[in-house]
Every structure is written in C-alpha cells, then in structure tokens.
Amino acid sequence: MMDQESREIIISLKKRISELISLYQKSKSEKESLIHEKLELMEQLETLTREKEELEHHYNTLKLAKTLAANSEDSHYAKLKINRIVREIDKCIALLNR
C-alpha cells in the first residue's frame, strides 16, 4: 500500500497536471482568437490600401483635369504630363505583352 506521503505527491501532481491542461486550453483559445483578429485586420488593411490607391488615382485625375483646364501658360506642362502618362502606359503594355 501507498503511504500518506505518496498519496499527497500523487494528488499534488494531478492538481498541477489539471492546472497545466487548463493553461494550455486557455492559451490555445487565445491563439485562435488572435489568429482570427489578425485575419480581420489583414482584410481591413487590404480594403484601406485599395481605397487609398483609388483616391490617389482620382486625385491625380483631378489634378490632370485641372492642369488641362488651366490657361495656355500651363499647356506646356500639361503636354509634358500627358506624354509621361502615355510612356507609362506604353511600358505597362510592353510588360503585359511579355
């Protein structure tokens, strides 16, 4: 038979094992929650990045329209800007054709 000291050791070990299991389950739950939160934040970041790009495009379009509507002194600047945009488009088309 086991003596009293052995029983106390076994009871203490069972208690510690229970505590460890509880801590593990809590950590696992927190990890899953953090993974879910990370995914949500990544989706928000992607959405905000797309919105930012759309706004920048809209801003550049408005800036170009304003330049084109400006007086004749600015027409040279507008032509240069249009030429630069056309070159960028040509580069994009060339990359797509590869």
Side-chain angles (χ1 to χ4, degrees), residues 89-98:
I89 292 171
D90 288 340
K91 285 180 188 177
C92 292
I93 292 171
L95 290 173
L96 288 172
N97 287 331
R98 284 188 181 178

Side-chain angles (χ1 to χ4, degrees), residues 36-86:
H36 180 70
E37 183 180 351
K38 176 187 171 190
L39 291 174
E40 287 179 352
L41 289 172
M42 288 174 70
E43 286 176 11
Q44 282 182 343
L45 177 62
E46 195 173 304
T47 301
L48 290 173
T49 301
R50 260 188 266 114
E51 286 178 14
K52 177 187 168 269
E53 289 172 357
E54 288 174 12
L55 288 171
E56 284 177 343
H57 176 71
H58 185 66
Y59 171 74
N60 288 332
T61 303
L62 288 173
K63 197 163 71 170
L64 180 60
K66 181 181 175 188
T67 302
L68 293 174
N71 60 27
S72 62
E73 293 175 8
D74 293 333
S75 66
H76 178 71
Y77 172 74
K79 288 177 185 177
L80 292 175
K81 184 146 182 115
I82 290 171
N83 286 335
R84 184 181 57 81
I85 292 171
V86 169

Side-chain angles (χ1 to χ4, degrees), residues 9-41:
I9 290 174
I10 291 173
I11 291 171
S12 173
L13 283 173
K14 285 182 178 181
K15 183 179 177 183
R16 288 182 184 172
I17 289 172
S18 268
E19 289 173 358
L20 284 174
I21 290 172
S22 175
L23 285 172
Y24 167 75
Q25 290 172 340
K26 182 180 175 185
S27 294
K28 186 177 175 182
S29 175
E30 286 178 10
K31 177 185 173 189
E32 290 172 1
S33 174
L34 288 171
I35 288 172
H36 180 70
E37 183 180 351
K38 176 187 171 190
L39 291 174
E40 287 179 352
L41 289 172

